[in-house]
Amino acid sequence: LPTPPLSPMRSLVFPEENVPRGDVICLAFAFCAGLVQGFLGCLLAWVSKRKMHILALDGGATEPRWLKRVNVLGVVASATLPGVLSIAALAFGAISMVVVVRSASILVFNVAFTRLFRLGSVKRNDAVGTALCVLGVVALFKVAPTDKSVTDLDYVHLLSTPVALVWNCVLVAACAVSVAAVHLSERTRKAAIAEVAAAATANGGGDSSAPREMETPPLRRAKRSKAGAADEKALGTRAAYVSLVVAASSAAMDLSAKGYTGAMGNTSHAFLGSPTFWTCLLVFICSAVVMRGYYVYGCKACDVLVF
């Protein structure tokens, strides 16, 4: 007699009967990576907003020590924990599964923590946009190709094809242009911060916990200054440029990881003498540093929900 199908409840309680245990562990690590990254991103945005509030009132003279410690802890944790959890997930499942689950959970938790940290009101369009992005990510996962191992020579051959060379050149060029655009936008941001600090110093300072209603007219005018207005307009474009840098760096990480893991798996113990291994490992480390650095910057200098 044929084996009867599992009930939905039994499949949920005992996933190992219809889903490999490794996939379950992979999903758990990827989900936690998204949760942690969403939380830390909103934490960094909250710290930046709080520091800007203190700067606007007294030039930053009363910035508490605990705020500096939270900022350092958030930067270090954001640069390490999501990556560690993602690597742990990759040890049990395919990279396509890890990227999809992590991306979807980041979007959901980013909206939730934005509301928790009071970084802004989550409007109906934000919720609908998040849901559409999650559906798009799931759709990409359904059509994503299965990961395949490649040898050292296969990797070099595939990377030297005309299509791969053109695409990677476009990716590097887009990343370089975005980095230049971010630095130009940073000038506007620094000018706005300097104007607010100068206005606060000229105003004689004040209580950093004072509500908006207690702000003096000179300070309000400083917040509505030319530089401040220009920086407000640049928030969306800055988020787009920083996102492109992060995305290009992440793509370079995935591509280089495929190279050095292929060298390790296909050249036995001789991978230490493989030029492909060391080149890909160097690209991976540099890309990871760029991605994490710009991710932290994006959370602090952009609208975190848009970013």
Side-chain angles (χ1 to χ4, degrees), residues 251-294:
M253 286 177 63
D254 295 341
L255 185 62
S256 57
K258 179 69 75 173
Y260 74 76
T261 54
M264 291 175 64
N266 295 288
T267 56
S268 185
H269 299 289
F271 68 88
L272 293 177
S274 169
T276 304
F277 172 81
W278 291 109
T279 303
C280 290
L281 184 62
L282 180 62
V283 172
F284 180 86
I285 294 173
C286 294
S287 301
V289 171
V290 172
M291 187 193 73
R292 291 302 171 190
Y294 275 87

Side-chain angles (χ1 to χ4, degrees), residues 4-289:
L6 293 173
S7 66
M9 184 58 68
R10 185 171 178 81
S11 299
L12 182 64
V13 177
F14 302 104
E16 66 276 4
E17 296 186 16
N18 60 335
V19 178
R21 187 182 298 273
D23 288 349
V24 176
I25 298 175
C26 173
L27 291 172
F29 274 119
F31 181 82
C32 291
L35 189 154
V36 170
Q37 194 161 346
F39 171 77
L40 292 174
C42 290
L43 177 66
L44 290 172
W46 178 83
V47 170
S48 179
K49 188 175 181 179
R50 182 66 183 173
K51 290 174 70 174
M52 191 66 183
H53 176 68
I54 296 174
L55 182 69
L57 290 170
D58 57 16
T62 61
E63 182 179 344
R65 185 175 297 178
W66 67 266
L67 192 63
K68 296 179 180 178
R69 292 177 178 175
V70 171
N71 183 47
V72 173
L73 181 63
V75 169
V76 174
S78 181
T80 54
L81 284 181
V84 171
L85 290 170
S86 297
I87 291 174
L90 288 172
F92 295 95
I95 190 171
S96 56
M97 181 186 299
V98 175
V99 171
V100 166
V101 175
R102 184 183 61 196
S103 301
S105 56
I106 286 174
L107 288 169
V108 174
F109 285 115
N110 187 45
V111 173
F113 288 124
T114 295
R115 187 64 177 169
L116 179 65
F117 283 101
R118 297 181 179 179
L119 297 174
S121 59
V122 179
K123 300 179 176 63
R124 180 174 175 271
N125 288 344
D126 298 324
V128 173
T130 300
L132 290 176
C133 286
V134 171
L135 290 175
V137 167
V138 174
L140 285 175
F141 173 64
K142 288 294 184 180
V143 299
T146 305
D147 289 355
K148 296 181 180 179
S149 298
V150 295
T151 64
D152 198 346
L153 295 177
D154 288 339
Y155 179 81
V156 176
H157 172 70
L158 292 171
L159 200 62
S160 59
T161 58
V163 174
L165 290 173
V166 171
W167 173 251
N168 287 321
C169 287
V170 170
L171 200 65
V172 171
C175 185
V177 171
S178 298
V179 168
V182 169
H183 283 277
L184 289 175
S185 178
E186 178 64 12
R187 294 183 181 179
T188 305
R189 178 172 172 267
K190 287 183 177 180
I193 293 175
E195 283 196 8
V196 172
T201 303
N203 191 47
D207 183 10
S208 61
S209 61
R212 182 176 178 85
E213 289 75 11
M214 295 177 63
E215 294 178 2
T216 58
L219 184 55
R220 291 183 183 178
R221 286 197 298 270
K223 288 187 175 182
R224 298 168 185 170
S225 63
K226 184 178 180 180
D231 186 59
E232 285 292 327
K233 292 180 180 179
L235 283 177
T237 54
R238 185 187 301 137
Y241 287 131
V242 179
S243 297
L244 188 55
V245 175
V246 172
S249 303
S250 179
M253 286 177 63
D254 295 341
L255 185 62
S256 57
K258 179 69 75 173
Y260 74 76
T261 54
M264 291 175 64
N266 295 288
T267 56
S268 185
H269 299 289
F271 68 88
L272 293 177
S274 169
T276 304
F277 172 81
W278 291 109
T279 303
C280 290
L281 184 62
L282 180 62
V283 172
F284 180 86
I285 294 173
C286 294
S287 301
V289 171

